Amino acid sequence: MAKVVVLGAGAMGLAAAYQAVRLGHQVTLLEAAAEAGGMAAHFDLAGLSIERFYHFVCKADEPTFALMQELGIGDRMRWRGTSMGYFTGGALHPWGDPVSLLRFPGLSLIEKLRYGLLMFVSTRRNSWPVLENTSAKDWIERWCGPGVYRKLWAPLFDLKFHEYAGNISASWIWTRIRRVGRSRRSLFQEEMGYIEGGSQTLVDALMRRIVAEGVSVAFGKPATKVEVSGGRVVAVQAGAERHSCDAVISTVPTPLVSALVPDLPKAERVAFDSILNIGVTCIVLKLRSSVTPHFWVNIVDPAIPFPGIIEFSRLRDTGTGETVVYIPYYMPVTNPNWDRPDEVFVAEAMAGLRRINPRLTGSDLIASHVGRLRHAQPVCPPGFLRRMPRVQTGIAGLQIADTSSYYPEDRGIAESIRLGREMAHRLATEGGGAV
Ligand SMILES: Cc1cc2nc3c(=O)[nH]c(=O)nc-3n(C[C@H](O)[C@H](O)[C@H](O)COP(=O)(O)OP(=O)(O)OC[C@H]3O[C@@H](n4cnc5c(N)ncnc54)[C@H](O)[C@@H]3O)c2cc1C
């Protein structure tokens, strides 16, 4: 039995704590925020408990299903046929199946066939190592031609990654296409999942279980220093408190770890410091009317400064007939727009929605919320795999991971759960801690 301190009570930290306590370790979980859930945490949107950031489940999310079964909430998964749209050229078009692609304006027949082939191949392949050293731009242009990249992809990449848009790894975008592309009932019908009651159902079940199994959980307690002595971890400081331990599992965003672990070997510090993140300002609106018939709409329009909208109530019903829409503004936190007041974002988001659906009026707005997250999306350039620091650091007993650690998979609850549990298993091996 080892004394283990887990840092962060998001999906990864909760899963790590759960697995570690089941393996017989003595576990303390420290979370900086006032509640559990991290990126998947809920808030109250005028009487509706909902995620701060949109969360859907795909059929490939096996680690989530396995954990839900173990926690006795396997019956809370729900699946629903969903659809996508594309707003471009001032009009909304259906998107995401072969017929929509053939009818889509603005692409030649050859471009459509090449695009369709790329999507088909992407969802079928299980491994594609050659993509690791290729940029998404080069990969898409090679398969579909420069026109497809310019018309469909470049505007979306620009609004998500800004100055990094041209240098995103093809492996990363491929695994993303594959995860969503495999979540289908048929070639013509996409199917997405959600957890009844939202991600909070899973977070609550995990919290109940780990507390029952004896994990000591402290909220509002950011770790301030991981102490190292003789090449291994010995304690974690959280303000004035000191938790002595044999092992630490850190799930806090990796850009924060250099400050947290001053004794980290220089090469590892440099590697962690070099992982860039994009922030997100995510607007959540509760509306009296629906915006479009689709769950997800990609947007390529010079008058709309966001790359898409997620009409979440098309997946998880609000139960009141009201609509919930997420409007994500991704940007580096150095972008001058990052600090704009909430009202400016909300007004701009409403104007964008009204451009898509002119029947919407200001009186349709029931409530709004603006959520900000500085480390929302790791930026993974070609060759990222070689640069990724190992989860098991050079310090015995210290493992460090965040959502960039399961690259080329994109950030997701399922992957965070998988890696969290894996780190707990590793406690008994290598320099994991309990050896
Ligand atoms: C806009 C958006 C949309 C998303 N959509 C989906 C989706 O549709 N489906 C899906 O599966 N996933 C989605 N995700 C990703 C998913 O939310 C994440 O992959 C997952 O929740 C990450 O969990 P984590 O525990 O790895 O990290 P986090 O949730 O970031 O947890 C890290 C925790 O560490 C805490 N912390 C930070 N510093 C300290 C410190 N010093 N001491 C102690 N604690 C600290 C933080 O407060 C946080 O709670 C989305 C994410 C975002 C941002």
Side-chain angles (χ1 to χ4, degrees):
M1 189 203 234
K3 276 170 86 175
V4 182
V5 178
V6 176
L7 310 183
M12 196 186 293
L14 288 171
Y18 164 76
Q19 192 61 52
V21 77
R22 280 170 55 104
L23 290 171
H25 301 296
Q26 185 187 323
V27 183
T28 300
L29 176 58
L30 301 178
E31 166 56 52
E35 77 283 302
M39 293 187 203
H42 275 218
F43 75 105
D44 183 87
L45 179 65
L48 175 72
S49 172
I50 195 160
E51 290 89 343
R52 273 191 299 153
F53 308 106
Y54 52 93
H55 275 78
F56 56 89
V57 180
C58 289
K59 294 194 167 181
D61 294 354
E62 280 299 334
T64 303
F65 312 142
L67 181 58
M68 287 175 68
Q69 285 296 344
E70 287 174 39
L71 295 171
I73 55 166
D75 60 345
R76 307 288 292 274
M77 262 315 300
R78 298 284 176 271
W79 294 97
R80 195 155 174 185
T82 49
S83 68
M84 282 186 76
Y86 219 112
F87 186 79
T88 184
L92 180 66
H93 307 278
W95 185 245
D97 64 72
V99 176
S100 309
L101 178 60
L102 284 172
R103 291 189 177 149
F104 192 72
L107 295 180
S108 70
L109 182 60
I110 296 292
E111 285 176 327
K112 289 175 186 178
L113 294 176
R114 290 174 74 179
Y115 181 87
L117 182 65
L118 177 59
M119 294 301 118
F120 181 80
V121 173
S122 292
T123 50
R124 294 220 160 25
R125 288 192 75 138
N126 289 324
S127 129
W128 208 337
V130 64
L131 296 190
E132 181 48 26
N133 294 317
T134 310
S135 73
K137 178 174 186 292
D138 289 348
W139 177 57
I140 293 166
E141 287 189 342
R142 203 173 311 134
W143 274 78
C144 311
V148 170
Y149 184 77
R150 194 183 64 251
K151 286 179 260 188
L152 294 187
W153 290 86
L156 304 182
F157 275 120
D158 285 347
L159 281 176
K160 180 147 188 181
F161 290 107
H162 300 257
E163 56 264 42
Y164 310 110
N167 198 33
I168 299 302
S169 149
S171 292
W172 177 82
I173 192 71
W174 163 59
T175 59
R176 219 183 127 98
I177 293 170
R178 185 181 59 174
R179 172 172 176 258
V180 172
R182 286 184 175 180
S183 207
R184 305 187 79 82
R185 224 178 261 167
S186 73
L187 193 59
F188 297 93
Q189 181 59 64
E190 175 185 273
E191 191 172 53
M192 293 294 172
Y194 66 95
I195 302 172
E196 198 184 283
S199 309
Q200 196 66 46
T201 300
L202 176 59
V203 170
D204 287 347
L206 266 167
M207 277 299 299
R208 271 196 306 274
R209 181 65 68 89
I210 63 173
V211 169
E213 301 240 2
V215 174
S216 152
V217 187
F219 293 114
K221 290 279 161 64
T224 44
K225 186 179 177 191
V226 175
E227 277 182 40
V228 176
S229 176
R232 62 172 311 122
V233 284
V234 291
V236 174
Q237 292 174 18
E241 287 176 17
R242 184 174 183 276
H243 302 265
S244 64
C245 60
D246 311 305
V248 171
I249 293 177
S250 171
T251 71
V252 311
T254 49
L256 306 178
V257 301
S258 274
L260 200 54
V261 195
D263 293 317
L264 206 58
K266 183 159 179 253
E268 287 178 82
R269 218 173 34 243
V270 169
F272 281 121
D273 287 348
S274 72
I275 300 174
L276 295 169
N277 266 254
I278 295 287
V280 72
T281 301
C282 195
I283 322 304
V284 197
L285 303 180
K286 197 187 224 194
L287 302 169
R288 291 196 171 80
S289 340
S290 161
V291 185
T292 82
H294 306 295
F295 167 59
W296 190 294
V297 176
N298 283 338
I299 300 170
V300 174
D301 186 283
I304 303 182
F306 39 85
I309 58 170
I310 298 100
E311 189 161 329
F312 201 70
S313 39
R314 292 269 169 213
L315 177 64
R316 179 153 82 91
D317 209 328
T318 53
T320 56
E322 291 157 339
T323 290
V324 171
V325 188
Y326 288 86
I327 297 130
Y329 283 77
Y330 287 94
M331 63 185 95
V333 297
T334 48
N335 188 299
N337 282 344
W338 178 257
D339 289 322
R340 293 194 310 178
D342 292 359
E343 320 77 80
V344 174
F345 278 110
V346 172
E348 194 177 79
M350 275 304 284
L353 296 189
R354 289 173 68 178
R355 178 156 166 77
I356 298 168
N357 181 349
R359 285 193 304 278
L360 278 179
T361 66
S363 60
D364 282 314
L365 181 62
I366 301 168
S368 65
H369 175 267
V370 178
R372 293 168 198 259
L373 187 67
R374 296 178 73 83
H375 303 103
Q377 174 76 67
V379 180
C380 303
F384 188 73
L385 212 49
R386 279 193 310 278
R387 290 174 35 187
M388 275 170 66
R390 286 183 64 221
V391 169
Q392 173 57 59
T393 66
I395 295 171
L398 176 59
Q399 298 182 69
I400 294 176
D402 73 357
T403 61
S404 66
S405 309
Y406 40 78
Y407 169 89
E409 294 295 336
D410 188 20
R411 50 162 207 206
I413 289 181
E415 283 300 309
S416 281
I417 290 172
R418 184 188 59 70
L419 185 52
R421 298 185 80 165
E422 202 175 290
M423 288 195 285
H425 280 291
R426 202 179 289 131
L427 287 168
T429 59
E430 296 186 59
V435 280

mmCIF file of all heavy atoms in Angstrom, residues 199-239:
data_model
loop_
_atom_site.group_PDB
_atom_site.id
_atom_site.type_symbol
_atom_site.label_atom_id
_atom_site.label_comp_id
_atom_site.label_asym_id
_atom_site.label_seq_id
_atom_site.Cartn_x
_atom_site.Cartn_y
_atom_site.Cartn_z
ATOM 1 N N SER A 199 -22.855 15.007 -17.643
ATOM 2 C CA SER A 199 -21.588 14.473 -17.122
ATOM 3 C C SER A 199 -21.593 14.430 -15.593
ATOM 4 O O SER A 199 -20.868 13.652 -14.974
ATOM 5 C CB SER A 199 -20.416 15.359 -17.550
ATOM 6 O OG SER A 199 -20.453 15.593 -18.922
ATOM 7 N N GLN A 200 -22.416 15.301 -14.982
ATOM 8 C CA GLN A 200 -22.493 15.362 -13.527
ATOM 9 C C GLN A 200 -22.899 14.014 -12.930
ATOM 10 O O GLN A 200 -22.477 13.662 -11.817
ATOM 11 C CB GLN A 200 -23.499 16.451 -13.119
ATOM 12 C CG GLN A 200 -23.405 16.891 -11.680
ATOM 13 C CD GLN A 200 -22.084 17.601 -11.377
ATOM 14 O OE1 GLN A 200 -21.668 18.465 -12.137
ATOM 15 N NE2 GLN A 200 -21.426 17.220 -10.299
ATOM 16 N N THR A 201 -23.700 13.253 -13.673
ATOM 17 C CA THR A 201 -24.128 11.932 -13.189
ATOM 18 C C THR A 201 -22.906 11.052 -12.952
ATOM 19 O O THR A 201 -22.798 10.355 -11.944
ATOM 20 C CB THR A 201 -25.068 11.286 -14.236
ATOM 21 O OG1 THR A 201 -26.193 12.151 -14.402
ATOM 22 C CG2 THR A 201 -25.538 9.907 -13.823
ATOM 23 N N LEU A 202 -21.964 11.097 -13.903
ATOM 24 C CA LEU A 202 -20.741 10.297 -13.785
ATOM 25 C C LEU A 202 -19.832 10.852 -12.682
ATOM 26 O O LEU A 202 -19.291 10.095 -11.868
ATOM 27 C CB LEU A 202 -20.016 10.287 -15.140
ATOM 28 C CG LEU A 202 -18.660 9.594 -15.208
ATOM 29 C CD1 LEU A 202 -18.763 8.128 -14.800
ATOM 30 C CD2 LEU A 202 -18.077 9.695 -16.630
ATOM 31 N N VAL A 203 -19.704 12.166 -12.663
ATOM 32 C CA VAL A 203 -18.846 12.798 -11.641
ATOM 33 C C VAL A 203 -19.383 12.478 -10.233
ATOM 34 O O VAL A 203 -18.629 12.080 -9.337
ATOM 35 C CB VAL A 203 -18.759 14.328 -11.883
ATOM 36 C CG1 VAL A 203 -18.082 15.036 -10.726
ATOM 37 C CG2 VAL A 203 -18.032 14.621 -13.201
ATOM 38 N N ASP A 204 -20.699 12.609 -10.061
ATOM 39 C CA ASP A 204 -21.296 12.331 -8.742
ATOM 40 C C ASP A 204 -21.101 10.872 -8.340
ATOM 41 O O ASP A 204 -20.788 10.573 -7.183
ATOM 42 C CB ASP A 204 -22.804 12.654 -8.757
ATOM 43 C CG ASP A 204 -23.066 14.156 -8.775
ATOM 44 O OD1 ASP A 204 -22.115 14.930 -8.524
ATOM 45 O OD2 ASP A 204 -24.215 14.560 -9.056
ATOM 46 N N ALA A 205 -21.291 9.966 -9.311
ATOM 47 C CA ALA A 205 -21.155 8.534 -8.998
ATOM 48 C C ALA A 205 -19.712 8.223 -8.598
ATOM 49 O O ALA A 205 -19.460 7.457 -7.662
ATOM 50 C CB ALA A 205 -21.576 7.686 -10.200
ATOM 51 N N LEU A 206 -18.764 8.829 -9.303
ATOM 52 C CA LEU A 206 -17.349 8.616 -8.967
ATOM 53 C C LEU A 206 -17.032 9.171 -7.585
ATOM 54 O O LEU A 206 -16.359 8.525 -6.774
ATOM 55 C CB LEU A 206 -16.469 9.303 -10.010
ATOM 56 C CG LEU A 206 -15.999 8.441 -11.174
ATOM 57 C CD1 LEU A 206 -15.428 9.312 -12.280
ATOM 58 C CD2 LEU A 206 -14.974 7.403 -10.748
ATOM 59 N N MET A 207 -17.536 10.374 -7.321
ATOM 60 C CA MET A 207 -17.283 10.999 -6.017
ATOM 61 C C MET A 207 -17.864 10.136 -4.885
ATOM 62 O O MET A 207 -17.199 9.893 -3.885
ATOM 63 C CB MET A 207 -17.913 12.399 -5.970
ATOM 64 C CG MET A 207 -17.073 13.494 -6.582
ATOM 65 S SD MET A 207 -15.478 13.685 -5.745
ATOM 66 C CE MET A 207 -16.015 14.122 -4.104
ATOM 67 N N ARG A 208 -19.117 9.680 -5.078
ATOM 68 C CA ARG A 208 -19.740 8.842 -4.038
ATOM 69 C C ARG A 208 -18.888 7.609 -3.773
ATOM 70 O O ARG A 208 -18.610 7.250 -2.636
ATOM 71 C CB ARG A 208 -21.140 8.399 -4.499
ATOM 72 C CG ARG A 208 -22.245 9.367 -4.129
ATOM 73 C CD ARG A 208 -23.623 8.721 -4.252
ATOM 74 N NE ARG A 208 -23.867 8.124 -5.552
ATOM 75 C CZ ARG A 208 -24.336 8.798 -6.611
ATOM 76 N NH1 ARG A 208 -24.605 10.082 -6.515
ATOM 77 N NH2 ARG A 208 -24.552 8.193 -7.752
ATOM 78 N N ARG A 209 -18.436 6.966 -4.876
ATOM 79 C CA ARG A 209 -17.700 5.715 -4.725
ATOM 80 C C ARG A 209 -16.347 5.929 -4.050
ATOM 81 O O ARG A 209 -15.966 5.198 -3.153
ATOM 82 C CB ARG A 209 -17.529 5.050 -6.094
ATOM 83 C CG ARG A 209 -16.791 3.715 -6.045
ATOM 84 C CD ARG A 209 -17.571 2.628 -5.283
ATOM 85 N NE ARG A 209 -18.765 2.240 -5.995
ATOM 86 C CZ ARG A 209 -18.802 1.258 -6.906
ATOM 87 N NH1 ARG A 209 -17.719 0.569 -7.159
ATOM 88 N NH2 ARG A 209 -19.929 0.966 -7.532
ATOM 89 N N ILE A 210 -15.602 6.953 -4.499
ATOM 90 C CA ILE A 210 -14.252 7.099 -3.935
ATOM 91 C C ILE A 210 -14.310 7.528 -2.463
ATOM 92 O O ILE A 210 -13.509 7.082 -1.657
ATOM 93 C CB ILE A 210 -13.335 8.041 -4.770
ATOM 94 C CG1 ILE A 210 -13.846 9.467 -4.824
ATOM 95 C CG2 ILE A 210 -13.093 7.486 -6.163
ATOM 96 C CD1 ILE A 210 -12.876 10.438 -5.499
ATOM 97 N N VAL A 211 -15.304 8.343 -2.137
ATOM 98 C CA VAL A 211 -15.442 8.747 -0.724
ATOM 99 C C VAL A 211 -15.807 7.519 0.114
ATOM 100 O O VAL A 211 -15.235 7.277 1.189
ATOM 101 C CB VAL A 211 -16.476 9.888 -0.584
ATOM 102 C CG1 VAL A 211 -16.838 10.129 0.877
ATOM 103 C CG2 VAL A 211 -15.922 11.178 -1.208
ATOM 104 N N ALA A 212 -16.710 6.691 -0.423
ATOM 105 C CA ALA A 212 -17.102 5.477 0.308
ATOM 106 C C ALA A 212 -15.907 4.540 0.483
ATOM 107 O O ALA A 212 -15.810 3.821 1.488
ATOM 108 C CB ALA A 212 -18.229 4.762 -0.443
ATOM 109 N N GLU A 213 -15.006 4.534 -0.468
ATOM 110 C CA GLU A 213 -13.848 3.621 -0.391
ATOM 111 C C GLU A 213 -12.701 4.224 0.432
ATOM 112 O O GLU A 213 -11.636 3.653 0.537
ATOM 113 C CB GLU A 213 -13.349 3.281 -1.793
ATOM 114 C CG GLU A 213 -14.424 2.624 -2.645
ATOM 115 C CD GLU A 213 -14.054 1.228 -3.118
ATOM 116 O OE1 GLU A 213 -12.976 0.752 -2.753
ATOM 117 O OE2 GLU A 213 -14.878 0.643 -3.836
ATOM 118 N N GLY A 214 -12.892 5.445 0.926
ATOM 119 C CA GLY A 214 -11.908 5.998 1.859
ATOM 120 C C GLY A 214 -10.969 7.047 1.303
ATOM 121 O O GLY A 214 -10.029 7.451 1.988
ATOM 122 N N VAL A 215 -11.190 7.502 0.054
ATOM 123 C CA VAL A 215 -10.334 8.568 -0.488
ATOM 124 C C VAL A 215 -10.640 9.859 0.273
ATOM 125 O O VAL A 215 -11.805 10.200 0.491
ATOM 126 C CB VAL A 215 -10.583 8.773 -2.004
ATOM 127 C CG1 VAL A 215 -9.810 9.983 -2.527
ATOM 128 C CG2 VAL A 215 -10.209 7.518 -2.780
ATOM 129 N N SER A 216 -9.588 10.561 0.660
ATOM 130 C CA SER A 216 -9.788 11.842 1.331
ATOM 131 C C SER A 216 -9.764 12.925 0.252
ATOM 132 O O SER A 216 -8.773 13.069 -0.470
ATOM 133 C CB SER A 216 -8.669 11.997 2.367
ATOM 134 O OG SER A 216 -8.399 13.343 2.568
ATOM 135 N N VAL A 217 -10.862 13.667 0.115
ATOM 136 C CA VAL A 217 -10.987 14.643 -0.969
ATOM 137 C C VAL A 217 -11.019 16.055 -0.393
ATOM 138 O O VAL A 217 -11.758 16.320 0.553
ATOM 139 C CB VAL A 217 -12.285 14.421 -1.787
ATOM 140 C CG1 VAL A 217 -12.309 15.324 -3.015
ATOM 141 C CG2 VAL A 217 -12.425 12.965 -2.220
ATOM 142 N N ALA A 218 -10.207 16.950 -0.962
ATOM 143 C CA ALA A 218 -10.213 18.344 -0.493
ATOM 144 C C ALA A 218 -10.420 19.276 -1.676
ATOM 145 O O ALA A 218 -9.659 19.233 -2.650
ATOM 146 C CB ALA A 218 -8.898 18.658 0.200
ATOM 147 N N PHE A 219 -11.464 20.091 -1.608
ATOM 148 C CA PHE A 219 -11.731 21.077 -2.660
ATOM 149 C C PHE A 219 -11.193 22.443 -2.249
ATOM 150 O O PHE A 219 -11.009 22.720 -1.062
ATOM 151 C CB PHE A 219 -13.234 21.187 -2.929
ATOM 152 C CG PHE A 219 -13.796 19.928 -3.531
ATOM 153 C CD1 PHE A 219 -14.703 19.140 -2.840
ATOM 154 C CD2 PHE A 219 -13.409 19.520 -4.798
ATOM 155 C CE1 PHE A 219 -15.207 17.967 -3.381
ATOM 156 C CE2 PHE A 219 -13.900 18.361 -5.351
ATOM 157 C CZ PHE A 219 -14.801 17.580 -4.642
ATOM 158 N N GLY A 220 -10.992 23.301 -3.265
ATOM 159 C CA GLY A 220 -10.467 24.633 -2.982
ATOM 160 C C GLY A 220 -9.062 24.552 -2.415
ATOM 161 O O GLY A 220 -8.617 25.420 -1.659
ATOM 162 N N LYS A 221 -8.331 23.457 -2.764
ATOM 163 C CA LYS A 221 -6.983 23.235 -2.225
ATOM 164 C C LYS A 221 -5.997 23.021 -3.370
ATOM 165 O O LYS A 221 -5.605 21.884 -3.673
ATOM 166 C CB LYS A 221 -6.970 21.994 -1.317
ATOM 167 C CG LYS A 221 -7.707 22.158 -0.006
ATOM 168 C CD LYS A 221 -6.822 22.889 1.004
ATOM 169 C CE LYS A 221 -7.582 23.509 2.152
ATOM 170 N NZ LYS A 221 -8.269 22.603 3.014
ATOM 171 N N PRO A 222 -5.628 24.085 -4.094
ATOM 172 C CA PRO A 222 -4.661 23.876 -5.173
ATOM 173 C C PRO A 222 -3.309 23.436 -4.624
ATOM 174 O O PRO A 222 -2.823 24.008 -3.643
ATOM 175 C CB PRO A 222 -4.550 25.270 -5.825
ATOM 176 C CG PRO A 222 -5.094 26.232 -4.829
ATOM 177 C CD PRO A 222 -6.043 25.480 -3.944
ATOM 178 N N ALA A 223 -2.746 22.412 -5.232
ATOM 179 C CA ALA A 223 -1.385 22.009 -4.855
ATOM 180 C C ALA A 223 -0.471 23.158 -5.240
ATOM 181 O O ALA A 223 -0.619 23.757 -6.313
ATOM 182 C CB ALA A 223 -1.007 20.742 -5.615
ATOM 183 N N THR A 224 0.473 23.480 -4.367
ATOM 184 C CA THR A 224 1.380 24.598 -4.665
ATOM 185 C C THR A 224 2.804 24.126 -4.921
ATOM 186 O O THR A 224 3.581 24.813 -5.563
ATOM 187 C CB THR A 224 1.348 25.638 -3.528
ATOM 188 O OG1 THR A 224 1.399 24.940 -2.277
ATOM 189 C CG2 THR A 224 0.084 26.468 -3.574
ATOM 190 N N LYS A 225 3.147 22.926 -4.410
ATOM 191 C CA LYS A 225 4.500 22.414 -4.673
ATOM 192 C C LYS A 225 4.543 20.899 -4.467
ATOM 193 O O LYS A 225 3.996 20.387 -3.482
ATOM 194 C CB LYS A 225 5.500 23.097 -3.728
ATOM 195 C CG LYS A 225 6.927 22.713 -4.057
ATOM 196 C CD LYS A 225 7.940 23.396 -3.144
ATOM 197 C CE LYS A 225 9.341 22.891 -3.485
ATOM 198 N NZ LYS A 225 10.342 23.282 -2.515
ATOM 199 N N VAL A 226 5.189 20.221 -5.411
ATOM 200 C CA VAL A 226 5.474 18.797 -5.217
ATOM 201 C C VAL A 226 6.913 18.719 -4.712
ATOM 202 O O VAL A 226 7.836 19.166 -5.387
ATOM 203 C CB VAL A 226 5.295 18.016 -6.535
ATOM 204 C CG1 VAL A 226 5.724 16.563 -6.354
ATOM 205 C CG2 VAL A 226 3.849 18.099 -7.026
ATOM 206 N N GLU A 227 7.069 18.183 -3.506
ATOM 207 C CA GLU A 227 8.419 18.104 -2.890
ATOM 208 C C GLU A 227 9.123 16.830 -3.326
ATOM 209 O O GLU A 227 8.521 15.744 -3.331
ATOM 210 C CB GLU A 227 8.288 18.063 -1.371
ATOM 211 C CG GLU A 227 8.131 19.394 -0.703
ATOM 212 C CD GLU A 227 8.070 19.213 0.819
ATOM 213 O OE1 GLU A 227 8.816 18.387 1.374
ATOM 214 O OE2 GLU A 227 7.225 19.895 1.427
ATOM 215 N N VAL A 228 10.405 16.991 -3.645
ATOM 216 C CA VAL A 228 11.210 15.861 -4.098
ATOM 217 C C VAL A 228 12.447 15.768 -3.205
ATOM 218 O O VAL A 228 13.040 16.788 -2.854
ATOM 219 C CB VAL A 228 11.634 16.084 -5.580
ATOM 220 C CG1 VAL A 228 12.563 14.969 -6.053
ATOM 221 C CG2 VAL A 228 10.400 16.189 -6.474
ATOM 222 N N SER A 229 12.802 14.529 -2.848
ATOM 223 C CA SER A 229 14.037 14.353 -2.072
ATOM 224 C C SER A 229 14.688 13.039 -2.511
ATOM 225 O O SER A 229 14.000 12.015 -2.632
ATOM 226 C CB SER A 229 13.689 14.329 -0.582
ATOM 227 O OG SER A 229 14.857 14.061 0.153
ATOM 228 N N GLY A 230 15.975 13.091 -2.781
ATOM 229 C CA GLY A 230 16.682 11.881 -3.196
ATOM 230 C C GLY A 230 16.125 11.282 -4.466
ATOM 231 O O GLY A 230 16.100 10.056 -4.621
ATOM 232 N N GLY A 231 15.616 12.122 -5.351
ATOM 233 C CA GLY A 231 15.138 11.631 -6.647
ATOM 234 C C GLY A 231 13.751 11.025 -6.629
ATOM 235 O O GLY A 231 13.313 10.433 -7.614
ATOM 236 N N ARG A 232 13.027 11.168 -5.493
ATOM 237 C CA ARG A 232 11.631 10.673 -5.499
ATOM 238 C C ARG A 232 10.706 11.637 -4.762
ATOM 239 O O ARG A 232 11.160 12.450 -3.949
ATOM 240 C CB ARG A 232 11.558 9.270 -4.912
ATOM 241 C CG ARG A 232 11.974 9.082 -3.463
ATOM 242 C CD ARG A 232 11.628 7.659 -3.023
ATOM 243 N NE ARG A 232 10.264 7.335 -3.377
ATOM 244 C CZ ARG A 232 9.893 6.317 -4.158
ATOM 245 N NH1 ARG A 232 10.763 5.501 -4.653
ATOM 246 N NH2 ARG A 232 8.621 6.109 -4.434
ATOM 247 N N VAL A 233 9.426 11.552 -5.060
ATOM 248 C CA VAL A 233 8.482 12.477 -4.416
ATOM 249 C C VAL A 233 8.340 12.105 -2.945
ATOM 250 O O VAL A 233 8.325 10.915 -2.599
ATOM 251 C CB VAL A 233 7.066 12.476 -5.059
ATOM 252 C CG1 VAL A 233 7.048 13.214 -6.353
ATOM 253 C CG2 VAL A 233 6.503 11.095 -5.196
ATOM 254 N N VAL A 234 8.199 13.134 -2.123
ATOM 255 C CA VAL A 234 8.017 12.852 -0.690
ATOM 256 C C VAL A 234 6.764 13.536 -0.123
ATOM 257 O O VAL A 234 6.239 13.102 0.896
ATOM 258 C CB VAL A 234 9.253 13.270 0.143
ATOM 259 C CG1 VAL A 234 10.440 12.365 -0.164
ATOM 260 C CG2 VAL A 234 9.623 14.730 -0.088
ATOM 261 N N ALA A 235 6.309 14.591 -0.794
ATOM 262 C CA ALA A 235 5.139 15.300 -0.248
ATOM 263 C C ALA A 235 4.564 16.264 -1.275
ATOM 264 O O ALA A 235 5.217 16.614 -2.267
ATOM 265 C CB ALA A 235 5.542 16.083 1.004
ATOM 266 N N VAL A 236 3.326 16.670 -0.992
ATOM 267 C CA VAL A 236 2.695 17.733 -1.782
ATOM 268 C C VAL A 236 2.282 18.833 -0.821
ATOM 269 O O VAL A 236 1.681 18.557 0.230
ATOM 270 C CB VAL A 236 1.449 17.210 -2.536
ATOM 271 C CG1 VAL A 236 0.716 18.363 -3.229
ATOM 272 C CG2 VAL A 236 1.827 16.145 -3.553
ATOM 273 N N GLN A 237 2.635 20.055 -1.183
ATOM 274 C CA GLN A 237 2.165 21.189 -0.377
ATOM 275 C C GLN A 237 0.935 21.789 -1.046
ATOM 276 O O GLN A 237 0.895 21.939 -2.268
ATOM 277 C CB GLN A 237 3.245 22.273 -0.300
ATOM 278 C CG GLN A 237 4.467 21.862 0.483
ATOM 279 C CD GLN A 237 5.572 22.906 0.413
ATOM 280 O OE1 GLN A 237 5.335 24.064 0.068
ATOM 281 N NE2 GLN A 237 6.784 22.477 0.722
ATOM 282 N N ALA A 238 -0.043 22.133 -0.217
ATOM 283 C CA ALA A 238 -1.226 22.851 -0.711
ATOM 284 C C ALA A 238 -1.415 24.014 0.244
ATOM 285 O O ALA A 238 -2.034 23.863 1.299
ATOM 286 C CB ALA A 238 -2.443 21.939 -0.737
ATOM 287 N N GLY A 239 -0.816 25.147 -0.100
ATOM 288 C CA GLY A 239 -0.798 26.277 0.823
ATOM 289 C C GLY A 239 -0.027 25.880 2.069
ATOM 290 O O GLY A 239 1.086 25.363 1.982
#
